[in-house]
Amino acid sequence: MAKYLFLQYMDEAKAPRPGTPELAAVIDAFAVHLEELKAAGAFLDGDPCQPSAAGFTTEVRSGDAKTTDGPMSSAAPWLNGYFVLECKDRDDAAAWAAKNPTAHVGCVEVHPILTL
């Protein structure tokens, strides 16, 4: 079994707002997904991310660190959450990505984790 990182991206402007029935439906969909992951023994870690405005980017050039509020690029989709899963292989990881609720409104980027 290998570990995979699942990065969930979507258009932040289309995200359901707090207190709406749409957000409640998304939370319910993720609760079902999480239970399925746990029942299969695949879940290792995962959490939603705060809005992109809460993030920041840090770069170090010539020994000087520079921190900028907000996402790396305002044109980039919002990283709205992540999962770390244990999967049999690439096909298993792709199947889990397709079941992720974000895949239906955005995309899920999957990276095998290199174990050192």
Side-chain angles (χ1 to χ4, degrees):
M1 298 282 262
K3 290 181 187 177
Y4 288 81
L5 175 64
F6 293 70
L7 301 173
Q8 304 166 180
Y9 292 99
M10 68 175 293
D11 181 344
E12 191 168 11
K14 295 180 181 175
R17 298 294 166 227
T20 63
E22 293 81 13
L23 182 58
V26 169
I27 291 169
D28 291 346
F30 270 103
V32 169
H33 183 59
L34 182 57
E35 286 307 312
E36 186 178 2
L37 290 168
K38 287 180 176 180
F43 179 80
L44 296 175
D45 194 16
D47 278 305
C49 293
Q50 292 187 20
S52 61
F56 59 91
T57 303
T58 300
E59 300 174 284
V60 179
R61 301 292 182 269
S62 301
D64 294 321
K66 176 185 173 189
T67 300
T68 306
D69 289 338
M72 183 173 59
S73 167
S74 60
W78 171 41
L79 173 61
N80 76 334
Y82 76 95
F83 281 103
V84 177
L85 305 181
E86 200 162 54
C87 302
K88 292 178 221 136
D89 52 29
R90 186 177 198 263
D91 291 340
D92 189 34
W96 282 118
K99 291 179 181 182
N100 184 306
T102 300
H104 301 269
V105 295
C107 70
V108 177
E109 183 177 358
V110 182
H111 294 268
I113 296 175
L114 179 62
T115 303
L116 301 176

